[in-house]
Amino acid sequence: MKLTSEQLAQLTKLQQKELDAAFLYRRLSELAKTDAERSALKKIAADEARHAAIASKYTGAKLSPGKNLAFIGGSVARVIGLRRTMRLLAKAENSAADTLAPMCEFCPEVREIIEDETAHGRTLGELAK
């Protein structure tokens, strides 16, 4: 199936967001105080990188993670604390399904990404308690 320019743009945007998120979660794992936090954040980072690779199969684009999100996220975590930052990220992960659902029509693997994002939201919510 050939993608429209709009679909390609959506997947490219997804790919970039997932790369940025992977970089952010790796950065946050460096700030974690417990092994459980560090391990969970590294797993989420790996999942996000895998999501970017899925999108890349469709886009063919070779993108690099933006460092701004990781810098801002790390700074926020230092100011308000990692747990509060994880609460904010949990909300973002949980809301991803609404944004991603329409892409399932032309990229069936997005269903897997949605499931992972929902799981990330639960994990981050649990860690933030």
Side-chain angles (χ1 to χ4, degrees):
M1 175 176 144
K2 183 155 171 79
L3 297 174
T4 67
S5 59
E6 183 180 323
Q7 292 168 335
L8 186 59
Q10 289 175 343
L11 286 170
T12 302
K13 186 175 180 180
L14 172 64
Q15 181 181 352
Q16 186 65 58
K17 283 183 174 184
E18 297 296 314
L19 281 171
D20 294 350
F23 193 77
L24 169 65
Y25 285 116
R26 280 193 298 274
R27 177 68 188 109
L28 292 177
S29 75
E30 296 169 4
L31 301 175
K33 293 186 171 112
T34 69
D35 289 339
E37 288 174 344
R38 193 170 3 274
S39 175
L41 291 168
K42 284 182 178 180
K43 183 195 178 311
I44 292 172
D47 287 347
E48 301 290 5
R50 185 172 43 77
H51 300 162
I54 290 170
S56 176
K57 287 187 334 190
Y58 290 87
T59 67
K62 303 285 186 217
L63 304 176
S64 299
K67 309 255 191 293
N68 289 341
L69 180 63
F71 175 77
I72 292 167
S75 297
V76 167
R78 282 190 190 91
V79 172
I80 68 170
L82 183 59
R83 289 185 192 256
R84 284 186 182 158
T85 302
M86 286 191 289
R87 269 189 225 116
L88 293 173
L89 291 170
K91 288 179 184 178
E93 294 283 350
N94 287 328
S95 69
D98 295 335
T99 305
L100 297 176
M103 288 187 225
C104 293
E105 291 179 29
F106 56 88
C107 182
E109 292 159 298
V110 169
R111 290 186 206 295
E112 176 186 332
I113 294 172
I114 291 171
E115 290 172 13
D116 286 347
E117 300 295 355
T118 302
H120 296 163
R122 280 192 306 269
T123 299
L124 291 165
E126 287 297 316
L127 288 172
K129 288 184 179 179

